[in-house]
Amino acid sequence: MRRSDKYTDDYIEQRYESQRPHYNTYYQPIGKPPKKKKSKRIFLKAIITILILLIIFFGVMYFISSRANVDDLKSIENKSDFVATENMPNYVKGAFISMEDERFYKHHGFDIKGTTRALFSTISDRDVQGGSTITQQVVKNYYYDNERSFTRKIKELFVARKVEKQYSKNQILSFYKNNIYYGDNQYTVEGAANHYFGVTVDKNNSNMSQISVLQSAILASKVNAPSVYDVNDMSNNYINRVKTNLEKMKQQNFISESQYQEAMSQLGN
């Protein structure tokens, strides 16, 4: 082989080697950034951004709700037909608790399980669904009655917590029963009892007959749809709702077995 040919072959081999891609001792080609690390950084930044936005959002909701003066709820007691819970038969209290908020005496303004379900329903259906505690309903009816939104639910939670700190459970229940709509322009339980049955919920009132267990269940079952459920012409759906309420009242020991049976016989179904 000629010397010039050898140099030519060496030159070609060196050129080929310089153009051949080199790899490191792991698995990534030299010079290329690790994709996984970059993806993790982007994901982490997104999570941090979401957390910051949530903190800001809840902070704003807390600030807005802090302006609600819960002292104003006492004005409900100024209604001429206001009757406090402690002046009502125990089954009247039981009728509303059994139907609206079974865990009323256990939570501190909101029930996590029920509220979570309500919030997810609000997001998916774009409408406020059930799940509110009695305390939350007191807040909604008094402060946010005309507002139907996701943000209202959040404000409602913060104010409900303030209400629970300031008032006893019986006071909160009194606010509730005396500031909800029962149909026919009735907004107190005493007014509704007088209007629909000619009875009173005040056990200290000897001038009128006392409301019965069945009548209590009928009123408590009516507030879910006061303009739909007709006391004088009860639909099957309304009757079934009252039956469910009576069963819950018995299960939670607000009424005895004999009171339950009597109410069911009076219902006639």
Side-chain angles (χ1 to χ4, degrees):
M1 176 184 292
R2 288 183 301 174
R3 188 174 182 181
S4 60
D5 291 339
K6 181 179 180 182
Y7 287 144
T8 303
D9 291 342
D10 289 344
Y11 173 76
I12 293 172
E13 185 175 352
Q14 289 175 5
R15 187 172 181 182
Y16 176 76
E17 284 295 328
S18 67
Q19 294 177 350
R20 179 185 299 173
H22 288 74
Y23 296 90
N24 59 17
T25 57
Y26 299 95
Y27 63 94
Q28 289 280 5
I30 294 175
K32 289 188 176 182
K35 293 182 179 179
K36 285 189 176 180
K37 288 186 178 179
K38 186 176 181 181
S39 299
K40 286 181 179 179
R41 285 200 299 270
I42 294 173
F43 179 74
L44 185 60
K45 286 181 181 179
I47 292 296
I48 292 173
T49 301
I50 292 171
L51 288 175
I52 291 173
L53 291 175
L54 284 174
I55 291 171
I56 293 172
F57 171 74
F58 281 101
V60 171
M61 291 299 101
Y62 177 78
F63 174 75
I64 293 173
S65 62
S66 67
R67 294 184 295 177
N69 186 0
V70 296
D71 290 334
D72 292 344
L73 288 173
K74 295 206 73 167
S75 64
I76 296 173
E77 297 176 354
N78 297 329
K79 293 184 177 183
S80 59
D81 51 359
F82 175 89
V83 178
T85 292
E86 52 266 31
N87 292 326
M88 300 180 193
N90 193 54
Y91 52 75
V92 177
K93 174 175 68 176
F96 287 88
I97 291 175
S98 298
M99 204 69 211
E100 295 296 321
D101 188 1
E102 294 179 16
R103 289 168 41 82
F104 178 64
Y105 287 106
K106 297 178 181 178
H107 62 66
H108 299 287
F110 59 90
D111 185 0
I112 295 176
K113 185 184 293 185
T115 300
T116 301
R117 183 177 64 252
L119 289 175
F120 276 108
S121 296
T122 299
I123 295 170
S124 61
D125 299 338
R126 297 183 181 181
D127 191 15
V128 178
Q129 301 297 319
S132 296
T133 64
I134 282 176
T135 311
Q136 286 176 258
Q137 291 183 61
V138 167
V139 171
K140 179 184 75 70
N141 292 335
Y142 193 87
Y143 297 101
Y144 308 115
D145 192 35
N146 295 320
E147 186 180 340
R148 295 179 64 81
S149 65
F150 174 76
T151 56
R152 189 216 80 201
K153 271 286 180 188
I154 303 301
K155 290 183 288 185
E156 192 179 281
L157 293 177
F158 285 123
V159 181
R161 188 72 186 97
K162 289 177 64 178
V163 170
E164 287 274 345
K165 287 181 178 180
Q166 182 157 331
Y167 297 103
S168 70
K169 289 290 187 178
N170 276 344
Q171 284 178 301
I172 295 169
L173 192 56
S174 296
F175 295 150
Y176 173 72
K177 288 185 290 188
N178 287 282
N179 199 45
I180 51 176
Y181 187 50
Y182 295 88
D184 285 0
N185 203 34
Q186 302 300 317
Y187 289 88
T188 67
V189 65
E190 174 71 358
N194 295 170
H195 176 75
Y196 290 116
F197 308 118
V199 298
T200 180
V201 298
D202 188 352
K203 60 185 180 183
N204 298 318
N205 184 352
S206 58
N207 297 320
M208 298 179 70
S209 300
Q210 294 288 304
I211 191 170
S212 69
V213 170
L214 176 60
Q215 290 165 344
S216 300
I218 288 173
L219 290 183
S221 301
K222 182 176 175 61
V223 297
N224 178 256
S227 299
V228 175
Y229 294 144
D230 187 350
V231 171
N232 299 312
D233 185 17
M234 297 178 67
S235 64
N236 289 332
N237 188 37
Y238 190 10
I239 290 170
N240 289 333
R241 187 171 174 81
V242 173
K243 285 181 178 179
T244 299
N245 195 3
L246 289 168
E247 289 170 3
K248 288 183 176 182
M249 289 169 70
K250 182 184 68 171
Q251 291 169 1
Q252 295 173 52
N253 298 317
F254 287 113
I255 58 175
S256 64
E257 177 66 29
S258 60
Q259 286 176 309
Y260 169 75
Q261 293 297 340
E262 181 182 3
M264 289 294 287
S265 66
Q266 290 171 349
L267 189 57
N269 287 276

